[in-house]
């Protein structure tokens, strides 16, 4: 085994959170490890909506915070929402300063769009659906020019290094089939979400909760892992991952119709196509289950303007054999975002000394039970930078004997059966029976293949969904449709819930 020591901050993951952390760590050295080449294998580059921030006259951070808290269905930490929304405008301006080409009004001010559950137009976008790609291009250019940052691709996270006191002292990565230990004073996990645990996902399929699972195995507190957001309109053209048809299309007037061409959303919510994301996802799920089909019809709302106004959606549809200018787009709900994650404070510190987390793998308390649209890039930029600054202040640790915690990988066939089971039983609609069946399947896979980080992440989500016998935000239980009077967040540690205790804890 190769052993290396990095004199500075070690960051795993090269999405917007990881790279924001690296930039903010200056003048301390930052080493970024990523499996995929830059701009690949991260959700940030695929984000279509934009970045929410109160940048217009008439809007305020307090109003943005209120909307964030309302969307989160009782579980958002108000102090974190305030911090996020107060730092939002400066974060957008900083990205614009790096060259992110946000849409501008005639007077040069940021153009702001309205998205569902925002009380004011406050989403800074780039050419319809290009925000994530354009922001990442600007940030990557800044990272490559920064003398304090080194990026190493081809490094897949396999484990964590801990000392006898439980302090995280670095990571174990796989490079060209060999394990490499890299020790550092501070480690930031920015490893993304859990979309790859689901059969249908809008995120890169390689994101399977590795950071979350490994942090849990190391003893970190995990928050709200049952809260998964399903985007209603992934494009159903048989691709894995499924391309996204941004919510902005419905904002522009596109409508949801069945195979017979009739609109159906009015049967589910007075706001029809602009109802909250979880309501639209469940409606589409129900229409598909009833074999009536679900399609996004943007022929009138966008029509011939598709190639210029929504280039990413247009390209994905055309590649799948659907011309959205003249045909309704077949749609399916897909795993889109994990609100839960490694519990952190506002500076990314986890419950384990030496370990920080940022972006989708973290749970800062900003999103609660349901993330407000276009708050994820914002959170990645704001809390990524905060984690980078805090980790850079960590003192060098004295040499110590380190314990290597390496989890096995899940073979491809086992992963496919996990993905099917997660979509079936921990998807848009859950029930105790389904979740118990899922936990049995996860247990059987762990017995056969070992306790991989992906199985740990899946088990955390499934067991917490079973324990939460209510319906709140993105978590809907067909056998417990009411919402509890008193909201409570989930905080769990893996060692507190050995396999045999999962079911009993929930019964
Ligand atoms: C979308 O463009 O519909 C997704 C935006 C988001 O997830 O915030």
């Amino acid at each position: 085994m190769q052993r290396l020591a990095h004199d500075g901050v070690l960051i795993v993951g090269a999405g917007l959170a990881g790279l924001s952390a690296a930039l903010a760590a200056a003048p301390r050295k930052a080493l970024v490890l990523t499996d995929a080449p830059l701009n690949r294998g991260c959700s940030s580059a695929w984000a279509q909506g934009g970045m929410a921030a109160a940048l217009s006259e008439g809007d305020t951070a307090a109003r943005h915070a209120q909307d964030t808290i309302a969307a989160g269905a009782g579980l958002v930490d108000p102090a974190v929402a305030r911090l996020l929304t107060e730092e939002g405008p400066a974060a957008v301006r900083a990205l614009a300063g790096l060259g992110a080409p946000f849409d501008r009004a005639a007077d040069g001010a940021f153009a702001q769009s309205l998205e569902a559950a925002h009380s004011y137009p406050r989403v800074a976008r780039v050419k319809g659906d290009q925000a994530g790609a354009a922001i990442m291009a600007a940030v990557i250019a800044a990272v490559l020019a920064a003398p304090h940052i080194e990026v190493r691709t081809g490094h897949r996270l396999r484990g964590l290094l801990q000392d006898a006191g439980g302090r995280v002292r670095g990571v174990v990565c796989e490079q060209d089939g060999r394990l490499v230990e890299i020790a550092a004073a501070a480690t930031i996990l920015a490893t993304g979400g859990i979309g790859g645990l689901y059969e249908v996902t809008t995120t890169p399929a390689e994101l399977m909760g590795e950071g979350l699972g490994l942090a849990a195995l190391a003893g970190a507190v995990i928050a709200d892992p049952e809260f998964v957001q399903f985007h209603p309109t992934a494009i159903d053209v048989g691709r894995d991952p499924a391309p996204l048809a941004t919510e902005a299309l419905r904002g522009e007037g596109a409508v949801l119709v069945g195979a017979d061409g009739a609109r159906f959303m009015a049967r589910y919510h007075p706001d029809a196509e602009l109802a909250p994301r979880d309501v639209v996802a469940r409606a589409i799920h129900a229409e598909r289950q009833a074999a009536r089909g679900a399609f996004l019809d943007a022929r009138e709302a966008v029509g011939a303007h598709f190639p210029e106004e929504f280039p990413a959606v247009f390209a994905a549809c055309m590649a799948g054999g659907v011309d959205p200018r003249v045909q309704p787009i077949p749609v399916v709900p897909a795993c889109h975002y994990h609100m839960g994650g490694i519990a952190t404070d506002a500076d990314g510190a986890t419950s384990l000394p030496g370990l920080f987390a940022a972006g989708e793998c973290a749970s800062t308390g900003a999103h609660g039970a349901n993330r407000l649209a276009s708050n994820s890039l914002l959170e990645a930029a704001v809390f990524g930078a905060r984690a980078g600054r805090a980790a850079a202040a960590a003192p060098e640790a004295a040499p110590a004997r380190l314990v290597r915690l390496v989890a096995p990988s899940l073979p491809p066939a086992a992963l496919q059966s996990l993905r099917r089971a997660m979509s079936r039983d921990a998807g848009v609609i859950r029930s105790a029976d389904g979740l118990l069946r899922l936990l049995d399947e996860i247990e059987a896979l762990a017995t056969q293949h070992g306790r991989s980080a992906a199985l740990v992440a899946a088990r955390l989500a499934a067991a917490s969904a079973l324990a939460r016998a209510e319906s709140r935000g993105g978590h809907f239980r067909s056998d417990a449709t009411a919402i509890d009077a008193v909201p409570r967040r989930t905080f769990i540690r893996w060692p507190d819930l050995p396999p045999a205790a999962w079911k009993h804890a929930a019964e």
Side-chain angles (χ1 to χ4, degrees):
M1 158 111 44
Q2 197 184 359
R3 290 196 171 85
L4 306 170
H6 169 66
D7 166 25
V9 179
L10 187 59
I11 300 162
V12 187
L16 185 58
L19 297 188
S20 299
L23 287 169
R28 194 99 189 256
K29 282 189 202 157
L31 173 59
V32 179
L33 303 174
T34 166
D35 192 8
L38 284 179
N39 218 13
R40 299 243 308 268
C42 68
S43 303
S44 309
W46 293 9
Q48 294 184 359
M51 234 168 124
L55 287 152
S56 321
E57 244 176 74
D59 195 12
T60 61
R63 200 163 162 177
H64 184 187
Q66 268 167 20
D67 293 343
T68 299
I69 290 166
L75 298 188
V76 169
D77 180 332
V80 174
R82 274 197 300 276
L83 195 61
L84 176 72
T85 55
E86 277 163 11
E87 294 194 7
V92 173
R93 287 191 195 102
L95 289 167
L98 294 182
F102 290 105
D103 295 344
R104 303 284 183 156
D107 64 358
F110 289 96
Q112 300 256 267
S113 308
L114 186 61
E115 283 187 1
H118 285 274
S119 61
Y120 207 84
R122 66 164 70 93
V123 179
R125 281 165 56 181
V126 180
K127 291 191 191 71
D129 56 20
Q130 298 293 298
I135 290 170
M136 284 302 288
V139 172
I140 286 170
V143 163
L144 293 177
H148 72 286
I149 302 176
E150 182 189 349
V151 178
R152 291 191 198 163
T153 58
H155 283 65
R156 186 158 79 88
L157 178 66
R158 293 294 310 279
L160 295 176
L161 297 172
Q162 272 181 299
D163 64 21
R167 182 178 193 88
V168 172
R169 304 280 293 253
V171 301
V172 182
C173 279
E174 187 176 322
Q175 186 205 11
D176 293 333
R178 284 197 313 268
L179 294 183
V180 185
E181 274 185 18
I182 306 177
T187 301
I188 302 178
L189 295 178
T191 51
I194 60 168
L197 298 181
Y198 284 85
E199 195 170 25
V200 187
T201 176
T202 61
T203 77
E206 53 268 51
L207 302 180
M208 295 179 290
E210 266 86 356
L212 172 68
L214 286 169
L217 286 173
V221 173
I222 305 300
D224 301 331
E226 66 273 36
F227 289 108
V228 177
Q229 188 170 73
F230 297 91
H231 198 289
T233 57
I235 304 172
D236 189 14
V237 284
R239 264 176 59 193
D240 177 27
L244 183 68
T246 176
E247 195 163 288
L249 285 160
R250 278 175 282 132
E252 295 288 319
V255 293
L256 288 162
V257 298
D260 61 358
R263 288 176 70 178
F264 57 79
M265 273 311 300
R267 279 194 275 118
Y268 293 92
H269 197 281
D271 293 341
E273 277 80 5
L274 296 182
R277 195 175 273 185
D278 59 308
V279 175
V280 183
R282 284 196 294 279
I284 291 176
H285 179 77
E287 293 299 303
R288 288 172 56 97
Q289 291 291 105
R292 289 190 285 268
F295 299 82
L296 184 65
D297 189 345
R299 288 177 294 181
E300 262 191 39
V302 186
H305 304 292
F306 239 113
E308 313 88 62
E309 288 187 9
F310 293 96
V313 179
F314 181 70
C317 287
M318 295 301 280
V322 175
D323 184 341
R325 294 170 295 191
V326 294
Q327 285 171 281
I329 306 165
V331 289
V332 59
C335 177
H336 183 60
Y337 190 83
H338 195 203
M339 276 77 74
I342 308 161
T344 69
D345 69 9
D347 290 317
T350 72
S351 62
L352 296 179
L355 184 67
F356 295 77
E360 195 173 342
C361 73
S363 177
T364 58
H367 304 309
N370 215 355
R371 176 181 60 83
L372 186 65
S374 290
N375 263 0
S376 50
L377 287 179
L378 178 68
E379 197 212 27
V382 167
F383 287 97
R386 292 181 72 90
R389 284 192 291 271
E396 281 303 327
R401 206 169 152 267
L402 301 184
V403 176
R404 202 184 310 137
L405 173 84
V406 177
S409 300
L410 197 58
L415 176 61
Q416 284 318 316
S417 62
L418 175 67
R419 293 180 75 185
R420 273 193 298 278
M422 286 289 285
S423 283
R424 185 191 63 213
D425 293 329
V428 177
I429 303 207
R430 294 128 177 228
S431 69
D433 287 348
L435 290 162
L436 285 166
R437 171 174 60 179
L438 173 61
L439 283 167
D440 283 343
E441 289 191 31
I442 293 171
E443 200 49 51
L445 288 171
T447 305
Q448 217 183 330
H449 303 289
R451 196 174 279 181
S452 68
L455 285 174
V456 169
R459 184 186 275 152
L460 285 163
S464 303
L466 180 59
R468 186 173 287 279
E470 63 161 346
S471 291
R472 183 185 293 276
H475 168 75
F476 186 85
R477 284 274 298 260
S478 58
D479 55 347
T481 54
I483 187 164
D484 288 352
V486 182
R488 70 177 163 85
R489 292 188 66 194
T490 300
F491 290 100
I492 53 171
R493 287 175 67 250
W494 178 261
D496 297 340
L497 283 175
W502 288 100
K503 291 180 189 173
H504 303 303
E507 275 165 7

